[in-house]
C-alpha cells in the first residue's frame, strides 16, 4: 500500500496537479510517526510512511494548508473522510485547494498497548499473520495483533470513504461494531456510580490540551479556555472540579459535530476514555433527533442547529436529565 | 552493602510510612505507573518510569500563593504558607533525580522561591538504579549514569534483593530509620547486573546522541536556523511535552476572585501556548514556529548559557512517547545537527 501511495503522490507532484502532499513521516523508532507536509519526490522517497502505525488523522492540518497557495494532496483513511467533510461543511477547509485520495484504513496499532504488556526497549515491530513479532533490547517478544489494536479502531464505524477525488484500493462499507456498548453500560449505572466513574477518569487529566488540539471539531481561532480577556481561561486544574468542567464544556461544543474519529482518546497521555463522553452525545442525538452521523455529507442540516416538528420537546430532555 | 531481600521491601515501606508520608510509583489499572502516597498493601511498580514526572512533589501543577480579603477599603493580606511535613519519595530514576538539580537552579537562586524550598527541605529522595532502560532513554547524553543515580539515598537491585547507599545526611537518616530491617549483603550479583545494564545503555538507539552542537555559544546560529519552520509544522501547541517534562519550569500567576477576596495562585504554564508571557501588546511569540523554538532553545541554549553549560533536559524520553504528533527534542537535535 505504501508503495502505491508514494507512486501516486510523486506523479501528482510531477505533473503539477498539486504542489504539496500531506502524509506521515517516519521517526526515530518504528512507531513515532509525525504528520508532515512533503514538497518534493526526494522528501517522499526518504521519509514517507504508511503502515499499521500511521494512525494520525491528518485532516485538521488542511485548515492551515488549504489557505496557502496551490493545491495540496491529502491521503485520507475512511474515518478521516468524515472529519474532512465536517470541516468542509463548517467552511474551515477550502475544498478547491485540496485533492483527496482515499486509502484503506486500519486496524491500526497502538504502541502503548504493546508497552503496557511490559514489552519495552522496542526496536522493531512486524506483523506475521496476526502475530506481532517485536524485536527489543531484551530479545524478541510476540503478542497477538488483536491485543495491540488502537482503541479508536476497536469500534470502527465505517470502512467507506464519504468523500474522495480518487481511491487507492477498494472502498468498504459502513460497519456496525457496537460502538455504544460501553455507553450503555455507563447508562445502566446509578448516577452515583457514573459520577464516580467520571470523577475517577477525569481527575487524571493534566489539562495538557492534547485532546482539544488534535480534535478536528475544535478549530476555533481562540478557544474559550485560552482567552484571558474573556475571564474563562483556565490553564490548569485550579480546583478539583475544573478539569471536569473543561471536558463537559468541550463535549457540548463538539456535540453534533464530533465524527467519533477517536483522536482525542488516542492522544490523551493519561489514557482517559474521552470517546465515551462523545459517544454518549452521539447516542442521545440519534435517539432524540433521529439518526445522524456527523461528517457523512456536507449539505444536511445538523440536528442541534436545525429545527423540525419531529424534534423531541425540550421538556423530555429536561426530564431525562433529572433521573 | 546493606540490603533487604526483595520480598520484604514492604516492611521498609511500612516502617517509613509510620512516621512520614511515603510516595512511590504504583501501577494504575491501565498499566501506567504514577507516584502514590503509600498505604499498606501497595506494590512498587516494575515499570521503568512514571508517566508524570516527579517534579510535582516540589513544583505542583497548581498552588495557592497568598490570599487577599477585602473589607470596605481595607485589604488584608493572608500568608497561606505552612511548614511542610517531612516526606520521602522512593523509586525516583536517575533522570528525574537530575531534574531536581535543574529545578533548584531556577527556584533556589536568588530570590529564593520559599514555596519550593519548603518542600525541597522536607523531602528525602530515594532513587532507584535502572536495570531495563528503554529505547526512548537518552540520559547518558546529559552525563547521567542510570546505574548510579543521584539522590539522598540510592537503591539498587540485583533481581532478588534491594541494596541501599546513602549520599547525604538525609539519606543516612533514611537508612538509619530502617536499619533494623537491613543486613550486610554480598554485591557480586549486583555488580554483574550493573555491568549488564551499562552494556544495554551503551547500545540504546539514542546512545550516540551528542550535545556538541548545542550550548549558549550557539545562540545566533541555532536561533536563526531555517529548520524551525519545518520542525514545528505538525506541532499542535498542546503543551503535553511541557507538562510531562521533569525540567519544564514555567508558570503563570493568576488571581481568582472568590467574591469577597482574591486567591492568588500559580499554575504550570507552557511556552507552547498562545497566551504565554502575554503582555499588553500580546504574546511576543506570534506563531507556533517561535513558540516551538522557544521550548528547545531554552533547554539546549538559554539554560546552559545561564548555568555553566548545564542543559535543561535530562533525556527521560517522556516527550518522545507522549507528544500526540511524535515531535520531540531528539528529532529537533538531530535535525539541527545536520547542516
Ligand atoms: S489529552 Fe487527556 S490529559 Fe490532556 S487535557 Fe485532554 S483529557 Fe486531559
Ligand atoms: S471529540 Fe474526539 S472523536 Fe470527536 S471529532 Fe474530536 S477528536 Fe474526534
Ligand atoms: S511538541 Fe508535541 S506535545 Fe509539545 S506542544 Fe507540540 S504537539 Fe504538543
Ligand atoms: S525535554 Fe523531553 S526528554 Fe528532555 S527532560 Fe523534558 S520530557 Fe524528558
Ligand atoms: S532516561 Fe536513564 S535514568 Fe531515566 S529511566 Fe531511562 S535509563 Fe533510567
Amino acid at each position: 500500500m505504501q508503495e502505491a501511495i508514494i507512486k501516486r503522490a510523486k506523479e501528482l507532484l510531477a505533473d503539477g496537479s498539486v504542489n504539496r502532499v500531506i502524509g506521515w513521516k517516519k521517526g526515530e523508532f518504528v512507531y513515532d510517526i509525525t504528520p508532515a507536509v512533503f514538497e518534493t519526490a526526494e522528501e517522499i522517497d526518504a521519509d514517507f510512511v504508511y503502515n499499521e502505525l500511521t494512525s494520525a488523522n491528518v485532516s485538521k492540518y488542511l485548515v492551515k494548508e488549504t489557505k496557502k497557495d496551490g493545491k495540496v494532496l491529502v491521503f485520507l483513511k475512511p474515518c478521516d473522510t468524515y472529519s474532512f467533510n465536517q470541516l468542509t461543511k463548517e467552511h474551515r477547509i477550502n475544498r478547491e485547494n485540496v485533492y483527496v485520495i482515499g486509502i484503506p484504513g486500519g486496524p491500526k496499532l497502538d504502541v502503548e498497548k504493546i508497552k503496557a504488556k511490559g514489552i519495552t526497549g522496542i526496536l522493531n515491530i512486524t506483523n506475521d499473520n496476526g502475530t506481532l513479532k517485536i524485536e527489543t533490547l531484551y530479545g524478541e517478544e510476540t503478542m497477538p495483533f488483536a491485543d495491540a489494536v488502537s482503541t479508536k479502531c476497536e469500534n470502527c464505524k465505517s470502512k467507506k470513504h464519504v468523500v474522495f477525488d480518487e481511491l487507492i484500493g477498494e472502498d468498504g462499507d459502513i460497519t456496525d461494531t457496537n460502538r455504544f456498548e460501553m455507553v450503555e453500560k455507563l447508562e445502566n449505572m446509578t448516577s452515583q456510580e457514573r459520577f464516580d466513574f467520571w470523577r475517577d477518569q477525569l481527575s487524571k487529566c493534566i489539562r495538557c490540551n492534547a485532546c482539544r488540539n488534535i480534535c478536528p471539531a475544535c478549530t476555533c481561532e481562540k478557544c474559550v479556555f485560552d482567552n484571558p480577556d474573556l475571564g474563562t481561561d483556565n490553564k490548569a486544574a485550579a480546583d478539583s472540579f475544573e478539569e471536569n468542567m473543561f471536558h463537559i464544556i468541550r463535549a457540548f461544543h463538539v456535540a453534533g459535530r464530533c465524527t467519533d474519529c477517536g483522536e482525542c482518546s488516542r492522544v490523551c497521555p493519561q489514557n482517559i476514555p474521552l470517546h465515551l463522553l462523545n459517544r454518549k452525545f452521539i447516542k442521545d442525538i440519534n435517539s432524540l433527533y433521529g439518526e445522524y452521523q456527523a461528517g457523512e455529507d456536507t449539505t444536511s442540516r445538523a440536528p442541534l442547529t436545525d429545527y423540525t416538528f419531529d424534534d423531541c420537546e425540550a421538556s423530555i430532555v429536561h426530564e431525562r436529565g433529572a433521573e | 552493602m546493606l540490603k533487604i531481600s526483595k520480598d520484604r521491601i514492604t516492611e521498609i515501606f511500612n516502617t517509613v510510612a509510620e512516621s512520614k508520608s511515603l510516595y512511590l510509583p504504583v501501577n494504575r489499572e491501565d498499566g501506567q505507573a504514577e507516584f502514590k502516597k503509600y498505604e499498606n498493601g501497595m506494590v512498587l511498580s516494575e515499570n521503568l518510569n512514571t508517566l508524570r514526572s516527579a517534579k510535582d512533589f516540589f513544583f505542583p501543577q497548581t498552588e495557592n500563593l497568598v490570599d487577599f480579603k477585602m473589607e470596605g477599603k481595607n485589604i488584608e493580606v493572608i500568608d497561606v504558607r505552612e511548614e511542610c511535613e517531612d516526606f520521602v519519595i522512593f523509586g525516583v530514576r536517575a533522570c528525574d533525580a537530575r531534574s531536581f538539580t535543574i529545578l533548584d537552579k531556577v527556584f533556589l537562586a536568588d530570590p529564593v522561591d520559599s514555596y519550593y524550598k519548603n518542600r525541597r527541605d522536607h523531602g528525602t529522595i530515594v532513587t532507584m538504579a535502572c536495570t531495563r532502560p528503554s529505547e526512548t532513554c537518552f540520559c547518558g547524553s546529559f552525563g547521567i549514569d542510570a546505574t548510579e543515580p543521584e539522590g539522598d539515598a540510592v537503591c539498587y537491585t540485583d533481581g532478588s534483593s534491594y541494596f541501599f547507599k546513602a549520599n547525604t545526611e538525609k539519606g543516612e537518616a533514611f537508612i538509619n530509620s530502617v536499619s533494623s530491617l537491613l543486613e550486610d549483603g554480598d554485591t557480586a550479583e549486583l555488580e554483574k547486573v550493573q555491568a549488564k545494564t551499562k552494556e544495554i545503555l551503551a547500545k540504546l538507539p539514542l546512545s550516540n546522541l551528542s550535545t556538541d552542537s548545542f550550548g549558549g555559544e550557539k545562540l545566533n546560529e541555532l536561533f536563526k536556523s531555517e529548520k524551525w519552520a519545518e520542525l514545528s509544522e505538525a506541532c499542535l501547541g498542546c503543551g503535553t511535552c511541557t507538562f510531562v517534562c521533569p525540567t519544564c519550569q514555567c508558570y503563570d500567576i493568576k488571581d481568582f476572585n472568590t467574591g469577597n477576596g482574591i486567591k492568588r495562585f500559580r499554575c504550570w504554564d507552557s511556552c507552547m501556548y498562545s497566551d504565554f508571557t502575554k503582555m499588553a501588546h500580546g504574546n511576543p511569540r506570534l506563531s507556533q514556529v517561535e513558540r516551538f523554538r522557544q521550548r528547545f532553545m531554552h533547554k539546549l541554549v538559554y539554560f546552559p548559557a545561564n548555568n555553566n553549560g548545564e542543559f535543561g533536559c535530562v533525556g527521560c524520553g517522556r516527550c518522545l512517547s507522549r507528544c500526540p504528533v511524535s515531535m520531540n527534542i531528539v528529532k529537533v537535535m538531530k535535525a539541527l545537527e545536520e547542516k
Side-chain angles (χ1 to χ4, degrees):
Chain A
M1 187 47 57
Q2 177 177 307
E3 263 168 52
I5 291 173
I6 288 180
K7 180 165 169 276
R8 197 65 191 116
K10 290 201 288 194
E11 278 168 15
L12 288 167
L13 267 182
D15 71 16
S17 315
V18 299
N19 63 5
R20 283 156 299 141
V21 180
I22 301 187
W24 302 266
K25 184 175 176 173
K26 73 169 183 252
E28 284 298 313
F29 315 117
V30 271
Y31 57 79
D32 60 334
I33 292 154
T34 301
V37 180
F38 299 83
E39 287 179 15
T40 64
E42 292 72 45
E43 285 171 16
I44 291 176
D45 279 330
D47 290 326
F48 194 107
V49 270
Y50 188 73
N51 56 35
E52 280 120 339
L53 287 153
T54 45
S55 40
N57 172 355
V58 294
S59 52
K60 190 177 180 178
Y61 287 106
L62 291 167
V63 174
K64 182 169 73 179
E65 288 302 324
T66 60
K67 288 199 177 81
K68 297 182 182 166
D69 286 338
K71 220 170 186 164
V72 59
L73 166 62
V74 71
F75 293 101
L76 298 180
K77 298 175 263 113
C79 48
D80 306 342
T81 60
Y82 288 76
S83 309
F84 181 93
N85 260 356
Q86 188 62 28
L87 284 163
T88 310
K89 192 175 190 171
E90 293 172 6
H91 308 288
R92 305 294 285 130
I93 287 179
N94 184 355
R95 183 65 179 91
E96 281 101 68
N97 279 350
V98 53
Y99 189 78
V100 178
I101 299 188
I103 52 173
K108 300 287 181 189
L109 294 171
D110 180 355
V111 76
E112 286 304 319
K113 290 199 176 175
I114 300 176
K115 292 184 180 178
K117 288 260 183 287
I119 301 175
T120 59
I122 298 172
L123 301 175
N124 200 12
I125 304 172
T126 45
N127 178 11
D128 184 11
N129 281 323
T131 302
L132 290 180
K133 291 223 161 99
I134 305 145
E135 195 192 312
T136 81
L137 289 162
Y138 306 97
E140 193 183 273
E141 305 265 3
T142 56
M143 73 181 279
F145 183 99
D147 291 355
V149 165
S150 175
T151 304
K152 80 171 190 171
C153 297
E154 273 173 359
N155 297 94
C156 176
K157 64 179 176 291
S158 172
K159 300 241 175 262
K160 181 177 146 75
H161 296 83
V162 287
V163 57
F164 56 84
D165 294 314
E166 78 179 55
L167 273 182
I168 295 182
E170 297 277 299
D171 205 10
D173 293 319
I174 293 179
T175 43
D176 177 19
T177 45
N178 297 329
R179 65 176 162 143
F180 298 119
E181 204 171 30
M182 188 57 199
V183 175
E184 275 154 24
K185 273 198 192 134
L186 288 171
E187 285 171 345
N188 291 332
M189 288 179 176
T190 64
S191 55
Q192 186 61 45
E193 284 167 349
R194 198 159 51 237
F195 185 74
D196 293 343
F197 172 85
W198 280 114
R199 285 289 281 174
D200 198 34
Q201 290 294 345
L202 297 178
S203 67
K204 293 192 287 193
C205 174
I206 55 171
R207 277 309 313 281
C208 67
N209 294 313
C211 53
R212 179 193 68 185
N213 291 17
I214 197 95
C215 174
C218 280
T219 60
C220 291
E221 289 289 325
K222 191 84 186 155
C223 174
V224 287
F225 293 106
D226 285 350
N227 194 345
D229 300 333
L230 204 60
T232 50
D233 59 321
N234 89 347
K235 209 169 260 179
D239 94 357
S240 63
F241 204 76
E242 215 157 293
E243 76 275 6
N244 301 33
M245 274 313 286
F246 168 75
H247 290 293
I248 293 166
I249 291 176
R250 207 180 82 79
F252 271 97
H253 281 185
V254 301
R257 305 191 299 117
C258 163
T259 64
D260 199 8
C261 74
E263 285 287 271
C264 46
S265 293
R266 179 179 72 85
V267 300
C268 175
Q270 290 283 40
N271 297 334
I272 300 171
L274 296 161
H275 59 283
L276 296 176
L277 267 186
N278 303 316
R279 283 192 188 151
K280 168 64 178 159
F281 278 84
I282 295 171
K283 184 166 177 283
D284 278 357
I285 289 171
N286 283 346
S287 70
L288 296 172
Y289 304 100
E291 290 284 325
Y292 179 77
Q293 170 59 54
E296 201 164 26
D297 61 67
T298 54
T299 48
S300 65
R301 301 198 57 134
L304 298 185
T305 51
D306 194 20
Y307 175 77
T308 71
F309 286 113
D310 297 331
D311 280 359
C312 88
E313 294 297 330
S315 61
I316 294 176
V317 182
H318 182 73
E319 272 164 34
R320 278 169 46 117
E323 195 183 15
Chain B
M1 214 187 293
L2 288 174
K3 69 153 200 178
I4 188 166
S5 75
K6 205 171 174 185
D7 51 4
R8 289 182 57 205
I9 187 75
T10 41
E11 292 175 37
I12 299 229
F13 298 153
N14 286 332
T15 308
V16 175
E18 267 169 30
S19 59
K20 292 186 177 105
S21 297
L22 167 69
Y23 298 87
L24 69 164
V26 177
N27 276 13
R28 301 195 303 224
E29 90 282 8
D30 64 356
Q32 298 287 348
E34 64 182 359
F35 279 103
K36 277 240 162 85
K37 187 167 173 181
Y38 178 76
E39 283 165 29
N40 204 349
M42 279 186 181
V43 184
L44 179 69
S45 170
E46 298 266 335
N47 290 14
L48 178 65
N49 214 343
T50 50
L51 194 156
R52 290 176 77 158
S53 83
K55 79 174 168 191
D56 303 44
F57 288 108
F58 305 116
F59 176 40
Q61 185 159 20
T62 53
E63 78 177 306
N64 200 9
L65 298 177
V66 61
D67 287 353
F68 302 97
K69 222 175 182 151
M70 256 94 77
E71 256 183 41
K73 287 195 167 168
N74 293 326
I75 301 181
E76 191 193 339
V77 180
I78 304 163
D79 189 345
V80 295
R81 278 174 295 187
E82 276 175 16
E83 194 71 12
C84 170
E85 288 184 350
D86 287 348
F87 63 98
V88 175
I89 325 171
F90 184 92
V92 176
R93 296 298 185 181
C95 48
D96 288 0
R98 173 66 63 81
S99 79
F100 303 145
T101 322
I102 291 173
L103 295 178
D104 285 353
K105 294 204 158 107
V106 177
F107 292 105
L108 299 183
D110 204 35
V112 171
D113 186 305
S114 57
Y115 301 85
Y116 176 88
K117 182 168 189 297
N118 183 12
R119 291 182 286 260
R120 202 71 175 86
D121 286 346
H122 289 277
T124 300
I125 299 156
V126 184
T127 49
M128 175 74 90
C130 298
T131 52
R132 271 181 77 93
S134 134
E135 75 279 8
T136 50
C137 296
F138 56 109
C139 50
S141 300
F142 299 101
I144 298 166
D145 181 352
T147 63
E148 214 34 87
E150 296 157 6
D152 295 309
V154 190
C155 179
Y156 309 86
T157 181
D158 64 0
S160 57
S161 296
Y162 288 112
F163 295 80
F164 290 91
K165 188 186 92 182
N167 283 336
T168 67
E169 263 172 45
K170 273 190 201 168
E172 269 164 30
F174 168 80
I175 293 181
N176 286 339
S177 73
V178 295
S179 58
S180 62
L181 299 167
L182 303 175
E183 56 184 355
D184 226 358
D186 176 17
T187 54
E189 185 58 30
L190 177 63
E191 277 151 30
K192 271 191 224 156
V193 170
Q194 291 280 80
K196 204 158 162 233
T197 309
K198 285 200 164 85
E199 261 172 48
I200 298 275
L201 285 167
K203 60 176 195 198
L204 290 179
L206 302 178
S207 60
N208 293 326
L209 188 73
S210 146
T211 54
D212 291 351
S213 310
F214 305 95
E217 65 286 1
K218 304 280 176 8
L219 194 148
N220 281 327
E221 178 197 333
L222 293 173
F223 189 86
K224 290 185 190 139
S225 167
E226 278 163 17
K227 303 263 173 69
W228 293 112
E230 193 192 327
L231 285 166
S232 63
E233 200 162 48
C235 173
L236 306 167
C238 64
T240 307
C241 49
T242 51
F243 282 10
V244 296
C245 177
T247 65
C248 271
Q249 67 225 205
C250 289
Y251 59 82
D252 195 2
I253 296 181
K254 296 204 159 215
D255 285 350
F256 177 74
N257 187 345
T258 60
N260 59 359
I262 295 286
K263 276 192 177 301
R264 178 162 295 171
F265 67 99
R266 76 165 148 202
C267 61
W268 292 350
D269 205 345
S270 171
C271 50
M272 294 292 193
Y273 289 166
S274 60
D275 63 344
F276 180 72
T277 61
K278 188 171 184 244
M279 291 175 260
H281 74 292
N283 184 336
R285 299 180 192 91
L286 293 176
S287 75
Q288 202 55 35
V289 181
E290 288 109 37
R291 294 171 201 149
F292 183 91
R293 178 177 63 192
Q294 166 63 23
R295 178 161 194 269
F296 301 102
M297 286 294 284
H298 186 201
K299 295 198 181 308
L300 300 169
V301 177
Y302 310 145
F303 199 84
N306 294 325
N307 294 282
N308 300 321
E310 174 149 21
F311 289 99
C313 169
V314 294
C316 73
R318 285 189 180 83
C319 60
L320 277 65
S321 51
R322 296 295 150 200
C323 170
V325 299
S326 295
M327 187 33 84
N328 56 57
I329 193 159
V330 169
K331 289 185 180 177
V332 167
M333 286 170 78
K334 291 202 168 177
L336 291 174
E337 247 167 31
E338 294 168 12
K339 296 274 151 57

